[in-house]
Amino acid sequence: MSATLQVPTGTGCLDAPVLRERGQREVFCGLTGIVWLHRKIQDAFFLVVGSRTCAHLIQSAAGVMIFAEPRFATAIIDERDLAGLADANDELDRVVAQLLARRPEIKLLFLVGSCPSEVIKLDLSRAAERLSQTHMPDVRVLNYSGSGIETTFTQGEDACLAALVPIMPRIAAGAQPSLLVVGALAEVVEDQFRRMFAAMGIERVSFLPPRRSVDLPGVGPDTVMLLAQPFLADTARALEARGATHLSAPFPLGEEGTTAWLHAAAESFGVPAARFAMATDPSRQRASAALAVAQKKLAGKRIFFFPDSQLELPLARFVSRELGMKLVEVGTPYLHRDHMTPELALLPQSTFLSEGQDVDRQLDRCRAARPDIAVCGLGLANPLEAEGITTKWSIELLFTPIQGYNQASDLAELFARPLLRRTKLAV
Amino acid sequence: MQLTLWTYEGPPHVGAMRVVTAMRGVHYVLHAPQGDTYADLLFTMIERRAARPPVTYTTFQARDLGGDTAELFKSAARDAYERFRPQALLVGASCTAELIQDDPGGLARALNLPVPVVAVELPAYQKKENWGAAETFYQLVRAFAKPRTRPAGGRPSCNILGPCALGFRHRDDVREITKLLGALGVDVNVTAPEGAAPADMTRLADADFNVVLYPEIGMQAASWLQRNFQLPYTKTVPIGVGATQDFIAEVAALAGVAVPDSLSAAGSNLPWYSRSVDSTYLTNKRVFIFGDATHVVAAARIASEEMGFEVVGLGTYSREFAREVRDAAKRYGVDALITDDYLDVESRVTELRPELVLGTQMERNIAKRLGIPCAVISAPVHVQDFPARYSPQMGYEGANVLFDSWVHPLMMGLEEHLITMFREDFEFSADAAPSHLGGAVKKLPETILQAANPAKDTERRWSAEAEAELGKIPFFVRGKARRNTESFAQERGLATITIDTLYDAKAHYAR
């Protein structure tokens, strides 16, 4: 197996037309990211400043009910705040003090903006500054917006990580180059990548977000970054502004994507081809062997992606190139051309891409196309199943370790299982 | 601003969704930002509804706020009408759209659609889900109900008001009560919101009276129908054997029919099961009850009169019905807990140390953490609250279901005795859980109990023997025994607690 990526012939989907739609978008807002971020950064707390709807959304999205006291809460704006009877800032200070008294172990507090807080123009960045002054050094207070008017689903993670960038320690110019992997990953995946980089001889590797906020990695002109997730436009821009260099690569989904992603780092750090091959070949072979099994179940199956997480393009590339699935439509809430160039180049030339959504029209297209499987949000899954269309809930793709070699077949299995279930059930 | 870690009720527009999703032929156009579509999953995932809720959201974004969100609403409403061709359009705003004040009602009416437009204003910063459901249902009833056209005479007929989407066992309750009404010779004219179309709602006044199954949702509409169409309505919610009998009597009086013998309390197994000797161990089990007002008031009566439990605490998150719950609490000599903060509920449960908790899914979680058996009696609902089997709460069959589901989490009679007698058997852990539920309760409870109720007098020393003896007391009363013994010792100025102190205290506090 060659260490370098096979460059596809042609330009893939780079010049393909994209259907842009502006209708009802059946997507989560950025607050949803709190569901995984609050578990990822273990000493951080997320306080949404919003309405009862915000509180209800997060608890509903988080597996329908929360059964442990979570590290997130909502400061619910009430009538008194709106009528100006209570100074919203005083109220926020009171709620934050109440919260921190309850959770003294918290080191980092995010004030998370919502649709109502944005509309009433509650300035959470000033509030965060003020509260930081009050509660430092015990607790640092930052803010970002997870509002639906500004963010779609995974963009909440982007906004959260972008808020961390300004407080990352500065690494002065002239330091040894270091690698920063950006995007929340399952711990098992992080550990695998760390071992993989070590095997290539890349030792200075850090991850954003860190598991504990006090371990925030540094950044500087000698930092190179690899995006582990495809929805981090603002974070990447903020890191670039602090001197980091973005390594353009496909995302680490599947054997091919993971290899290309690792290879981008290897190239940047001058890892010799032989060493790269030594570090990756066993894992690549293992992944390929596992995927060969999955391919038997999935090759030729037609798949339809509803827009949801921005993972759709990398997933489409993986299922088409490594599993032999046929792409009916690949919808994405937002197409970030820069970050997606390597993915677009690998997609089959005729791929039907859509950006944004008009959910009823898209459902019409899906019904007309009768795909073998549709990847969609939780609101659409059972209705589509009831119409005889097999589905995969897209949120599971965020909550399951899917990146890297050892997870490639797990990712394939996520698509295979609903199809298998269909064939098993005789009732 | 209120710090909220978890909420019993969603925003009021979710209540409106529960009403339209239950109905046929109504489409709801909701002015709401991107993201508010999450509410669809409540219906498609939790309730496993096979169709999307009949709701179109405008899903506006920041870029729309600079432009014309009113135009966006109008085109969404027009498209929704064209696509779904409903008999009526319901329009409104979610919390964010309320702030931008686009007046969905006015905008939708200006479209001159060929169907009625009903606008609901649901103040999202004051009100909650159940209120939103009640208000929406009331507005729809007001909009569609017409004077009676059915001639007088004929079989007595009633409407069933209140059942809707995401309700706790509404599906099965309606079936059970419809059957019961049939046995009384009473026809069901319209059931609403569940299953009703606007055309059905025009016929509401053809009934002779209303049966209000869920006052949280149906009461406002029922009292309007009484004021405007002189339709009386039932006050008893038929949950439990006694309440079912009262309900039957109430309906019989309203309908002017006699109660057939087949509808006696013998229709339920509960009375005999409760009297059978195996149930003796249920006597005065200490029970804490929390949920919506209707289910809590009903559960308290059943617990006390039909199961022989002792109600040690009750409460509700339904502030609109706080008075009813306070009245009920008085009957059992306890203070009602009226709160929508589950931490208040948790600390009350911790303090009371009941032997059984009847609550919502959140109380189930609290009880699990504290190692207390629990049965779920009320919304907010969870996917498990939509069992595949027939499982009503109301009527005689509902009473059977309640007996089983409340007794099941408890230790069985003889098992409890054996564990108490032979606590040191190596297979009986001191924290043994009911054997049929598998697995032992984790050690966690005791530490939580202690943390929540730190001994005020830590110097009061327990002798090793007394401590060991305390360990032989069943875990669910151990905390209370410890507390009582310590205050007993304190009152008498005893520096050390011995086995004798423990038993002296037990005798002292014996009821």
Side-chain angles (χ1 to χ4, degrees):
Chain A
M1 208 174 282
S2 156
T4 48
L5 181 69
Q6 290 176 324
V7 180
T9 52
T11 56
C13 245
L14 277 171
D15 304 318
V18 178
L19 173 68
R20 291 201 170 75
E21 292 208 284
R22 284 185 67 171
Q24 176 178 322
R25 294 167 70 108
E26 183 85 14
V27 288
F28 285 131
C29 66
L31 295 180
T32 323
I34 293 171
V35 175
W36 63 89
L37 288 167
H38 88 281
R39 290 284 160 217
K40 178 72 200 178
I41 315 176
Q42 292 168 17
D43 55 355
F45 195 98
F46 294 78
L47 180 65
V48 177
V49 182
S51 65
R52 184 167 299 281
T53 314
C54 307
H56 198 235
L57 155 87
I58 307 174
Q59 82 188 35
S60 306
V64 186
M65 289 264 175
I66 294 289
F67 282 139
E69 186 171 329
R71 286 187 295 270
F72 61 77
T74 309
I76 296 187
I77 297 169
D78 61 32
E79 217 188 1
R80 292 171 64 249
D81 303 300
L82 294 177
L85 297 174
D87 185 311
N89 282 301
D90 291 346
E91 282 291 288
L92 187 56
D93 292 1
R94 180 182 61 76
V95 166
V96 166
Q98 189 188 348
L99 173 71
L100 293 177
R102 222 189 123 68
R103 302 298 296 260
E105 75 284 9
I106 295 305
K107 297 272 174 264
L108 174 62
L109 173 67
F110 286 103
L111 302 180
V112 188
S114 65
C115 299
S117 80
E118 299 291 333
V119 169
I120 65 171
K121 302 205 184 320
L122 190 57
D123 189 342
L124 292 183
S125 69
R126 286 185 57 187
E129 254 172 58
R130 181 181 69 243
L131 285 160
S132 259
Q133 277 165 15
T134 313
H135 296 286
M136 285 282 266
D138 299 334
V139 186
R140 186 193 280 277
V141 184
L142 297 176
N143 78 290
Y144 73 88
S145 173
S147 83
I149 58 178
E150 288 168 315
T151 59
T152 303
F153 196 21
T154 49
Q155 285 177 318
E157 177 177 331
D158 188 23
C160 172
L161 300 190
L164 285 171
V165 172
I167 61 160
M168 289 167 72
R170 196 169 72 89
I171 304 177
Q176 293 281 336
S178 59
L179 176 66
L180 181 63
V181 178
V182 187
L185 292 170
E187 281 160 18
V188 60
V189 176
E190 247 181 52
D191 294 341
Q192 285 171 19
F193 283 152
R194 204 183 280 281
R195 285 198 297 273
M196 197 66 74
F197 289 125
M200 291 180 218
I202 305 174
E203 296 291 350
R204 278 175 300 281
V205 181
S206 46
F207 290 83
L208 181 72
R211 296 177 196 186
R212 293 176 46 80
S213 71
V214 290
D215 301 327
L216 206 58
V219 62
D222 302 295
T223 304
V224 291
M225 60 166 157
L226 266 180
L227 298 181
Q229 300 283 10
F231 42 73
L232 299 171
D234 289 351
T235 307
R237 205 174 302 124
L239 286 165
E240 280 168 339
R242 294 205 51 187
T245 309
H246 171 222
L247 300 178
S248 181
F251 292 91
L253 300 175
E255 184 275 322
E256 181 186 49
T258 303
T259 303
W261 188 78
L262 292 169
H263 191 258
E267 217 167 43
S268 168
F269 282 78
V271 176
R275 181 139 194 208
F276 181 78
M278 209 158 64
T280 56
D281 277 357
S283 299
R284 290 181 70 177
Q285 276 154 24
R286 199 162 55 218
S288 299
L291 285 174
V293 179
Q295 195 184 26
K296 286 200 189 85
K297 301 180 221 167
L298 292 166
K301 300 281 187 208
R302 299 164 65 248
I303 187 166
F304 190 110
F305 286 90
F306 282 84
D308 204 53
S309 62
Q310 292 189 51
L311 278 163
E312 296 81 8
L313 263 66
L315 287 170
R317 179 263 303 159
F318 164 69
V319 301
S320 72
R321 290 175 62 91
E322 299 190 46
L323 300 174
M325 296 177 81
K326 302 273 175 251
L327 305 175
V328 178
E329 175 172 340
V330 183
T332 180
Y334 179 66
L335 180 57
H336 190 277
R337 287 235 161 231
D338 273 4
H339 292 176
M340 285 300 166
T341 297
E343 296 288 356
L344 288 167
L346 294 171
L347 280 172
Q349 214 146 21
S350 57
T351 308
F352 179 7
L353 299 173
S354 62
E355 182 184 12
Q357 191 174 30
D358 183 323
V359 67
D360 288 312
R361 289 165 54 165
Q362 194 165 31
L363 282 166
D364 289 345
R365 293 198 297 275
C366 183
R367 290 180 185 118
R370 304 291 307 176
D372 293 303
I373 186 166
V375 182
C376 64
L378 295 173
L380 299 180
N382 269 335
L384 283 171
E385 292 278 356
E387 292 180 33
I389 295 173
T390 302
T391 60
K392 168 75 248 134
W393 321 338
S394 51
I395 198 165
E396 209 172 347
L397 298 161
L398 269 303
F399 290 177
T400 312
I402 56 170
Q403 295 83 0
Y405 292 124
N406 295 326
Q407 285 66 240
S409 64
D410 299 342
L411 176 54
E413 179 62 22
L414 287 179
F415 299 104
R417 189 172 305 149
L419 289 165
L420 171 68
R421 186 157 187 79
R422 268 284 157 136
T423 57
K424 279 193 76 129
L425 296 180
V427 290
Chain B
M1 246 174 238
Q2 195 199 347
L3 179 63
T4 306
L5 294 147
W6 189 87
T7 160
Y8 285 94
E9 289 183 76
H13 73 261
V14 167
M17 288 183 67
R18 290 177 57 188
V19 170
V20 294
T21 302
M23 291 181 66
R24 293 176 297 116
V26 181
H27 197 88
Y28 186 19
V29 181
L30 184 64
H31 207 11
Q34 167 175 267
D36 281 9
T37 52
Y38 83 87
D40 285 357
L41 78 85
L42 304 170
F43 301 91
T44 64
M45 297 300 290
I46 296 178
E47 199 172 3
R48 302 179 211 252
R49 291 225 170 210
R52 293 169 64 213
V55 182
T56 292
Y57 306 76
T58 53
T59 59
F60 56 83
Q61 293 176 265
R63 61 179 182 214
D64 302 308
L65 288 176
D68 194 349
T69 49
E71 191 48 50
L72 182 64
F73 179 84
K74 278 158 73 177
S75 60
R78 206 182 293 117
D79 291 352
Y81 173 74
E82 286 303 326
R83 176 176 283 271
F84 299 104
R85 297 283 167 159
Q87 296 174 29
L89 212 57
L90 184 76
V91 299
S94 79
C95 53
T96 306
E98 182 183 331
L99 297 172
I100 58 178
Q101 302 184 320
D102 273 339
D103 182 23
L107 293 170
R109 281 188 206 98
L111 294 174
N112 289 317
L113 296 173
V115 293
V117 170
V118 180
V120 278
E121 284 188 25
L122 307 174
Y125 299 91
Q126 296 172 35
K127 301 293 190 182
K128 291 180 283 188
E129 179 179 331
N130 279 340
W131 185 90
E135 172 70 13
T136 302
F137 182 47
Y138 159 70
Q139 293 293 352
L140 289 168
V141 167
R142 268 189 70 141
F144 298 120
K146 298 271 186 303
R148 180 173 178 135
T149 56
R150 192 171 67 104
R155 270 167 66 95
S157 154
C158 70
N159 303 311
I160 294 180
L161 303 184
C164 71
L166 281 180
F168 190 79
R169 310 290 166 86
H170 289 192
R171 173 196 73 192
D172 297 344
D173 285 346
V174 168
R175 190 169 132 196
E176 185 67 17
I177 295 306
T178 304
K179 196 174 84 185
L180 191 154
L181 290 165
L184 274 167
V186 176
D187 290 338
V188 175
N189 176 50
V190 174
T191 299
E194 185 69 61
D200 300 319
M201 309 256 282
T202 60
R203 299 186 291 107
L204 281 168
D206 282 353
D208 299 310
F209 61 97
N210 284 318
V211 166
V212 180
L213 289 191
Y214 308 100
E216 279 87 348
I217 294 153
M219 182 68 95
Q220 202 183 345
S223 61
W224 185 86
L225 287 165
Q226 183 180 41
R227 283 196 308 278
N228 289 276
F229 295 111
Q230 291 73 51
L231 287 187
Y233 59 88
T234 57
K235 312 289 191 298
T236 315
V237 177
I239 302 179
V241 173
T244 299
Q245 286 178 291
D246 294 351
F247 174 81
I248 290 169
E250 199 182 0
V251 169
L254 286 169
V257 296
V259 179
D261 291 344
S262 62
L263 289 182
S264 76
S268 172
N269 290 322
L270 186 147
W272 168 241
Y273 272 45
S274 261
R275 280 169 200 280
S276 73
V277 290
D278 185 73
S279 296
T280 311
Y281 77 102
L282 300 175
T283 311
N284 281 341
K285 284 263 186 208
R286 305 172 73 255
V287 57
F288 177 83
I289 308 169
F290 195 86
D292 69 13
T294 298
H295 287 86
V296 163
V297 171
R301 177 174 175 187
I302 299 163
S304 174
E305 296 177 7
E306 298 176 20
M307 306 294 279
F309 295 153
E310 183 193 355
V311 176
V312 294
L314 57 79
T316 184
Y317 58 82
S318 313
R319 283 184 194 278
E320 293 88 352
F321 289 82
R323 202 185 59 200
E324 284 81 348
V325 174
R326 286 206 178 91
D327 289 349
K330 259 185 230 136
R331 287 198 286 279
Y332 308 103
V334 296
D335 286 331
L337 177 64
I338 312 294
T339 182
D340 56 3
D341 184 345
Y342 82 88
L343 297 172
D344 291 347
V345 181
E346 183 172 66
S347 63
R348 185 67 67 93
V349 174
T350 309
E351 176 194 312
L352 290 171
R353 292 171 194 184
E355 292 159 83
L356 175 67
V357 170
L358 302 174
T360 72
Q361 288 290 338
M362 185 41 86
E363 282 66 48
R364 190 175 72 111
N365 178 35
I366 291 168
K368 197 165 125 196
R369 284 181 54 180
L370 298 175
I372 302 170
C374 177
V376 175
I377 59 158
S378 159
V381 288
H382 180 277
V383 67
Q384 290 176 355
D385 297 321
F386 293 92
R389 67 179 186 280
Y390 181 57
S391 185
Q393 304 287 288
M394 294 187 174
Y396 290 137
E397 181 58 23
N400 296 340
V401 169
L402 292 176
F403 184 91
D404 288 348
S405 51
W406 296 7
V407 167
H408 173 88
L410 296 169
M411 201 89 76
M412 308 301 271
L414 283 177
E415 182 179 44
E416 183 176 301
H417 292 312
L418 283 172
I419 288 179
T420 309
M421 285 174 71
F422 306 111
R423 186 146 292 280
E424 284 164 9
D425 182 303
F426 69 97
E427 285 186 288
F428 286 164
S429 132
D431 296 326
S435 59
H436 61 291
L437 297 184
V441 172
K442 294 186 195 75
K443 278 284 182 194
L444 185 68
E446 192 74 0
T447 49
I448 289 181
L449 292 176
Q450 283 170 355
N453 281 292
K456 286 186 189 71
D457 183 0
T458 44
E459 303 95 86
R460 190 112 8 236
R461 297 267 297 279
W462 283 75
S463 72
E465 298 79 19
E467 189 80 52
E469 197 73 8
L470 182 70
K472 296 171 192 168
I473 295 173
F475 72 92
F476 41 85
V477 288
R478 198 180 305 143
K480 185 176 179 185
R482 177 188 288 278
R483 206 172 31 165
N484 283 351
T485 308
E486 284 172 357
S487 49
F488 179 82
Q490 188 174 18
E491 281 163 23
R492 280 154 192 76
L494 304 173
T496 308
I497 292 170
T498 63
I499 292 184
D500 282 336
T501 322
L502 180 66
Y503 285 114
D504 286 345
K506 185 181 180 209
H508 176 76
Y509 287 106
R511 283 172 294 172

